[in-house]
Amino acid sequence: MPRPILTDEIIEQAKRDKEQLERNLQREMENDREIAQKYDKIEKDLSKQAVYKSRRIENAKQNQRRKTVNKWLWIVIIVVLVLLVLFFWYYFL
């Protein structure tokens, strides 16, 4: 059986490395105002893009759900109408 590509140790090491890098970046930003301002601007731009993308994705999902619900609603209405017509035709004609 082949070894898994990502082991738990590798994942934990990556998490520790990421946390360490974030702490280092935070320390450097506290010491250097120019880097902090540049990073804040980049972070703000990325957050705006993420919100726009998220809204666009949610709107697309909502439209897809609406189309599916409408389609099934029409199918149910048509089936009920056909059953009503058959009922009246069988009992009253």
Side-chain angles (χ1 to χ4, degrees):
M1 188 167 164
R3 283 187 59 178
I5 295 174
L6 291 176
T7 62
D8 292 336
E9 296 85 20
I10 295 172
I11 294 172
E12 289 299 319
Q13 180 65 35
K15 286 180 184 178
R16 285 192 299 268
D17 290 344
K18 181 180 178 186
E19 290 171 0
Q20 182 181 5
L21 287 172
E22 287 175 353
R23 284 192 302 263
N24 289 342
L25 178 63
Q26 190 66 27
R27 270 190 247 120
E28 288 179 15
M29 283 186 5
E30 290 171 359
N31 295 335
D32 191 359
R33 292 300 294 165
E34 184 179 330
I35 291 176
Q37 290 172 351
K38 183 177 181 181
Y39 182 74
D40 287 342
K41 183 181 181 298
I42 292 171
E43 189 176 63
K44 198 180 295 183
D45 291 342
L46 288 175
S47 69
K48 286 180 184 177
Q49 290 174 359
V51 169
Y52 175 73
K53 184 176 181 181
S54 176
R55 286 182 185 160
R56 189 181 64 203
I57 291 170
E58 288 301 317
N59 287 340
K61 287 180 182 179
Q62 188 177 31
N63 288 337
Q64 184 64 35
R65 276 192 302 268
R66 187 177 301 130
K67 287 179 183 178
T68 304
V69 169
N70 285 341
K71 179 178 78 172
W72 283 105
L73 184 62
W74 279 109
I75 291 172
V76 168
I77 288 172
I78 291 172
V79 168
V80 168
L81 286 175
V82 167
L83 289 175
L84 282 173
V85 167
L86 289 175
F87 175 77
F88 280 111
W89 188 49
Y90 183 74
Y91 283 108
F92 295 113
L93 295 179

